[in-house]
Amino acid sequence: MSDASKVTEGGYGGEPGPGTVLLTGGAGFIGSHVRRLLRSQGTPVRVLAHRADVDAADTVRGDLADPASLRGICAGVTTLVHAASVINGSEEECRAVNEHGTAALVDEARRAGVRRIVYVSTAAVYGEGVHRGITEDAVDPAPVGPTSSSRLAAEKLVRAAGGTVLRPMFVYGAGDRWFIPQVASLAGYLTASLADGGSRLSLISVDDLAEAVGAVAQLPPGEVDGEVLHVTHPEPTPLAEILEVLAENSLTAALPGDAHERTVAAMGASAPRRLRLLTSDHYYDSARLWRSVDVSCGPGFRTAFPRYAQWYKDAIAAADKAS
């Protein structure tokens, strides 16, 4: 009997739950939290790893940039959680991994009879704009740059295979090297932008995002198949509140005096676009997701952030020491 023929409504081999999960991006910011969550729930997890120095009992070798290396990777798997993406790479790198790698991965999933595919994408595929509480089908995506363009291409491949696409916007928590560090380092500039009332942004903690990913992965077949779901806290967070909370937790005080200049320089040509993302409304209606899963959206930013404050302080100190 083939592996594909063993897949049942209840999971691989008739077991309840999602059966064996193949997780890509398991060493990354979001994927590492999904990995810990699934393992804490007793879910068998197989992590796709391409680095030669990764050696763990739950890892298998494969490289999204090398489709041939993925052959057979989904054998015995009932659920694929695809949380790997190249971010800020060249157009060639983004297409090779995000688009062509996803195509090869989806082909393997189909070949093995995988029951559910969940892809962690980003609301950045909508492009710049000003987005105020839009639903998943209210605005056509208009990605800017190779990262978002290739991730939108990956979304289309996943949905064509009956998979589910998740779109978070700004994610914070242990492992975040972009959102909170940039907001904190740009505090002076961003505070000046509040003269117009300040922007409202869709946030979610990485732990609440992982809970949502795990919950979608365990939904019965037929539910949310082929759909796009926003994964954000239901209430947008004002930029002014974010800056207040960071100050209350001594994050801005922990930064060097030239933090603003360093951050803008590191952004390079993308600086104007990234600043616009932070200073104009970007929040999304996530009701469809929270109606579909039996997990909590978690507390708002002001309540949730303090548990991550020390991690950010340590990360900022380490980055400053290394520079």
Side-chain angles (χ1 to χ4, degrees), residues 96-225:
V97 173
N98 299 347
E99 182 176 354
H100 301 313
T102 298
L105 194 60
V106 168
D107 284 346
E108 288 300 316
R110 281 171 158 166
R111 187 175 294 114
V114 168
R115 181 184 61 176
R116 178 174 292 287
I117 302 174
V118 181
Y119 176 49
V120 183
S121 183
T122 171
V125 298
Y126 290 116
E128 295 187 27
V130 173
H131 304 138
R132 297 187 175 104
I134 63 172
T135 59
E136 290 84 350
D137 50 5
V139 175
D140 289 333
V144 178
T147 298
S148 296
S149 296
S150 58
R151 293 179 85 175
L152 179 61
E155 285 189 12
K156 293 176 180 177
L157 292 163
V158 169
R159 295 182 70 190
T164 305
V165 170
L166 305 182
R167 288 179 182 162
M169 186 56 183
F170 297 111
V171 184
Y172 65 93
D176 166 31
R177 304 287 180 179
W178 180 76
F179 177 56
I180 291 298
Q182 284 199 355
V183 172
S185 63
L186 293 167
Y189 170 88
L190 295 173
T191 298
S193 77
L194 299 178
D196 295 328
S199 58
R200 289 175 292 173
L201 306 175
S202 270
L203 312 185
I204 190 166
S205 77
V206 68
D207 291 294
D208 292 330
L209 173 56
E211 289 273 3
V213 172
V216 171
Q218 297 184 63
L219 288 174
E223 294 192 27
V224 303
D225 288 357

Side-chain angles (χ1 to χ4, degrees), residues 3-53:
D3 288 316
S5 66
K6 297 178 185 176
V7 179
T8 70
E9 287 286 309
Y12 185 71
E15 297 176 1
T20 298
V21 174
L22 174 65
L23 172 65
T24 72
F29 170 38
I30 295 170
S32 62
H33 287 264
V34 174
R35 180 182 190 176
R36 283 192 289 272
L37 172 73
L38 293 174
R39 293 186 70 182
S40 73
Q41 296 174 339
T43 301
V45 180
R46 182 186 304 172
V47 179
L48 178 66
H50 69 272
R51 298 200 314 272
D53 61 339

Side-chain angles (χ1 to χ4, degrees), residues 50-322:
H50 69 272
R51 298 200 314 272
D53 61 339
V54 174
D55 185 18
D58 64 351
T59 61
V60 290
R61 295 283 179 267
D63 187 348
L64 289 170
D66 178 13
S69 72
L70 303 178
R71 188 70 179 180
I73 204 75
C74 292
V77 168
T78 58
T79 304
L80 166 62
V81 176
H82 183 19
S85 295
V86 167
I87 309 295
N88 297 327
S90 67
E91 182 173 357
E92 181 180 5
E93 290 170 332
C94 288
R95 292 194 67 187
V97 173
N98 299 347
E99 182 176 354
H100 301 313
T102 298
L105 194 60
V106 168
D107 284 346
E108 288 300 316
R110 281 171 158 166
R111 187 175 294 114
V114 168
R115 181 184 61 176
R116 178 174 292 287
I117 302 174
V118 181
Y119 176 49
V120 183
S121 183
T122 171
V125 298
Y126 290 116
E128 295 187 27
V130 173
H131 304 138
R132 297 187 175 104
I134 63 172
T135 59
E136 290 84 350
D137 50 5
V139 175
D140 289 333
V144 178
T147 298
S148 296
S149 296
S150 58
R151 293 179 85 175
L152 179 61
E155 285 189 12
K156 293 176 180 177
L157 292 163
V158 169
R159 295 182 70 190
T164 305
V165 170
L166 305 182
R167 288 179 182 162
M169 186 56 183
F170 297 111
V171 184
Y172 65 93
D176 166 31
R177 304 287 180 179
W178 180 76
F179 177 56
I180 291 298
Q182 284 199 355
V183 172
S185 63
L186 293 167
Y189 170 88
L190 295 173
T191 298
S193 77
L194 299 178
D196 295 328
S199 58
R200 289 175 292 173
L201 306 175
S202 270
L203 312 185
I204 190 166
S205 77
V206 68
D207 291 294
D208 292 330
L209 173 56
E211 289 273 3
V213 172
V216 171
Q218 297 184 63
L219 288 174
E223 294 192 27
V224 303
D225 288 357
E227 290 192 28
V228 173
L229 300 171
H230 293 152
V231 192
T232 66
H233 194 276
E235 296 297 326
T237 305
L239 178 59
E241 180 178 325
I242 298 172
L243 293 169
E244 287 173 5
V245 171
L246 297 186
E248 289 167 3
N249 287 275
S250 304
L251 263 298
T252 52
L255 290 160
D258 61 348
H260 179 193
E261 290 80 1
R262 287 193 200 183
T263 299
V264 172
M267 289 181 185
S270 69
R273 176 170 57 83
R274 292 193 183 187
L275 291 172
R276 285 194 295 271
L277 281 175
L278 296 173
T279 57
S280 59
D281 285 343
H282 284 87
Y283 61 94
Y284 305 88
D285 186 324
S286 58
R288 187 180 297 178
L289 169 80
W290 301 117
R291 284 197 304 265
S292 301
V293 297
D294 189 24
V295 295
S296 168
C297 62
F301 180 75
R302 184 179 291 279
T303 301
F305 183 78
R307 63 176 161 160
Y308 302 114
Q310 189 59 53
W311 182 90
Y312 280 110
K313 291 176 186 177
D314 294 342
I316 289 171
D320 188 46
K321 184 177 181 179

